[in-house]
Amino acid sequence: MTVNDMYTFMNESNWNALVPFYFFLISISAGSLMIASLSTVFGMKQYDVIVRPAAFASLGSLILAPVFLILDLQQPMRFLYVINPLNFNIQSPMSWGGWLLILYGITLVLFAKRFVTGSASAQAVAETAATASGNKSLNSILFVLALLLSAYPGFELGMIKAKALWNTQLLPVYFITTSLLAGLGILLLVTQFTGKKELTEKFISSVKTVTISLIAISLVWILSRSMILTTSGLESQLAAQTLWKSGWFVGGELGLGLIAPLALLLFGNVSKNRTVLTVVSVLLLVGAFSMRYSLVFAGLAAVMP
């Protein structure tokens, strides 16, 4: 007698919204430091005003990020297992990511401690930023670590070959671009709500140019990635369709996070109307989070029947 057994396998993941929040927070931290590096590493003095806010914004978001990761793991001891050097696996992106967070955190604390001062006057801020810019070795190391940290989620997702939406070598580059947008968003918000008056015309003009360029790169990436997916077989076509059916992608990332701030920067007077700059900042943060949320869950949902 022959017995035929039938099994139904459900493509299901235990991931929840904590994962995009974790990606979002490390992107804010890394993106803020990379934007501040325009002053501390690349010598663009108009960015001195955001070096101090970047140090604290980066440190604060980095402290929060592991909390979301540990909550997602459900068993906090798993996090200790990942960072244990005896358990290091050279082929595991989780092992590399855990140690990257530690190295970045240590370097960030060394960078931020010089800003712990009782004076927040314009002169004190400028002097501290100048001192921070003086330590080029530490600043350069921190910039490289921030760059790697911003790209890390792209490497982690990109290595999963079973998910067509994620499996691309260019995904880390897109995470870097959107991390820079998130960093700009949080730093502009902080400088707006702390009552600083040092936002010069030169700074705002430079920020406008950088933001428009990053948005343009993001839009080109989305267009090219969508075209590649729709012409690369049934599984890839399903991935593209799933992404474009996602409200988080179409409304959150594409509409609110990219097109809306681009229109405001092109047609709004950000130099004279700071409210426009504040709205742009919020929209950039909405877009950065929406990108991570839509990418994670559209990638999980795009499964061949």
Side-chain angles (χ1 to χ4, degrees), residues 252-271:
E253 180 185 358
L254 192 58
L256 294 177
L258 295 175
I259 295 176
L262 179 62
L264 287 172
L265 289 171
L266 289 175
F267 304 110
N269 194 342
V270 294
S271 59

Side-chain angles (χ1 to χ4, degrees), residues 62 97 178 201 230 257:
L62 184 68
T178 53
E201 292 289 334
T230 53

Side-chain angles (χ1 to χ4, degrees), residues 56-70:
F56 292 113
S58 299
L59 191 59
S61 53
L62 184 68
I63 291 171
L64 287 175
V67 175
F68 285 89
L69 180 61
I70 292 171

Side-chain angles (χ1 to χ4, degrees), residues 181-182 184-185 211 215 256-257 261 279-289:
L181 288 173
L184 279 168
T211 306
I215 291 175
L256 294 177
V279 173
V280 168
S281 306
V282 174
L283 291 175
L284 292 177
L285 291 171
V286 170
F289 176 76

Side-chain angles (χ1 to χ4, degrees):
M1 183 177 70
T2 302
V3 177
N4 295 322
D5 294 325
M6 294 184 66
Y7 299 91
T8 300
F9 293 92
M10 301 298 293
N11 249 306
E12 204 170 317
S13 173
N14 291 324
W15 283 7
N16 52 43
L18 294 173
V19 174
F21 267 112
Y22 165 66
F23 287 159
F24 179 59
L25 287 170
I26 64 174
S27 294
I28 286 179
S29 181
S32 299
L33 252 298
M34 288 191 291
I35 295 298
S37 295
L38 292 174
S39 166
T40 59
V41 177
F42 300 101
M44 299 172 67
K45 295 304 178 184
Q46 66 266 35
Y47 286 91
D48 283 355
V49 68
I50 53 92
V51 175
R52 179 187 174 97
F56 292 113
S58 299
L59 191 59
S61 53
L62 184 68
I63 291 171
L64 287 175
V67 175
F68 285 89
L69 180 61
I70 292 171
L71 289 174
D72 176 68
L73 293 173
Q74 296 178 354
Q75 297 181 22
M77 296 303 293
R78 290 182 181 177
F79 184 74
L80 298 178
Y81 179 88
V82 171
I83 64 176
N84 186 338
L86 298 177
N87 300 324
F88 184 79
N89 181 358
I90 195 171
Q91 295 181 329
S92 170
M94 286 292 290
S95 292
W96 285 104
W99 279 98
L100 179 59
L101 276 172
I102 293 173
L103 292 174
Y104 173 76
I106 293 172
T107 313
L108 178 56
V109 169
L110 294 175
F111 176 80
K113 72 176 185 178
R114 72 193 69 183
F115 294 98
V116 181
T117 174
S119 176
S121 66
Q123 182 179 358
V125 170
E127 289 174 354
T128 310
T131 303
S133 300
N135 193 343
K136 281 293 183 70
S137 297
L138 177 65
N139 298 337
S140 299
I141 292 171
L142 186 56
F143 170 73
V144 172
L145 291 174
L147 184 68
L148 292 173
L149 185 64
S150 65
Y152 159 68
F155 286 117
E156 186 174 21
L157 295 177
M159 292 181 66
I160 304 176
K161 295 182 179 180
K163 302 296 183 182
L165 188 60
W166 300 342
N167 189 220
T168 170
Q169 293 85 351
L170 292 179
L171 191 58
V173 178
Y174 191 46
F175 268 93
I176 293 173
T177 304
T178 53
S179 294
L180 288 168
L181 288 173
L184 279 168
I186 196 68
L187 292 178
L188 290 174
L189 271 185
V190 170
T191 52
Q192 290 290 300
F193 284 101
T194 53
K196 302 294 182 185
K197 302 298 183 182
E198 300 92 340
L199 298 185
T200 63
E201 292 289 334
K202 186 177 181 181
F203 171 77
I204 294 175
S205 176
S206 180
V207 165
K208 180 179 177 179
T209 301
V210 170
T211 306
I212 290 175
S213 300
L214 290 171
I215 291 175
I217 293 171
S218 299
L219 291 172
V220 169
W221 191 92
I222 289 172
L223 180 61
S224 59
R225 181 62 178 151
S226 298
M227 292 176 64
I228 291 171
L229 286 172
T230 53
T231 57
S232 302
L234 292 177
E235 186 177 359
S236 297
Q237 290 173 14
L238 176 63
Q241 291 171 8
T242 305
L243 180 64
W244 280 91
K245 289 179 181 178
S246 168
W248 282 95
F249 169 68
V250 177
E253 180 185 358
L254 192 58
L256 294 177
L258 295 175
I259 295 176
L262 179 62
L264 287 172
L265 289 171
L266 289 175
F267 304 110
N269 194 342
V270 294
S271 59
K272 294 183 178 180
N273 189 348
R274 297 299 172 83
T275 302
V276 176
L277 197 61
T278 302
V279 173
V280 168
S281 306
V282 174
L283 291 175
L284 292 177
L285 291 171
V286 170
F289 176 76
S290 298
M291 173 267 181
R292 283 143 184 80
Y293 192 96
S294 62
L295 188 69
V296 167
F297 290 108
L300 290 172
V303 179
M304 292 293 289

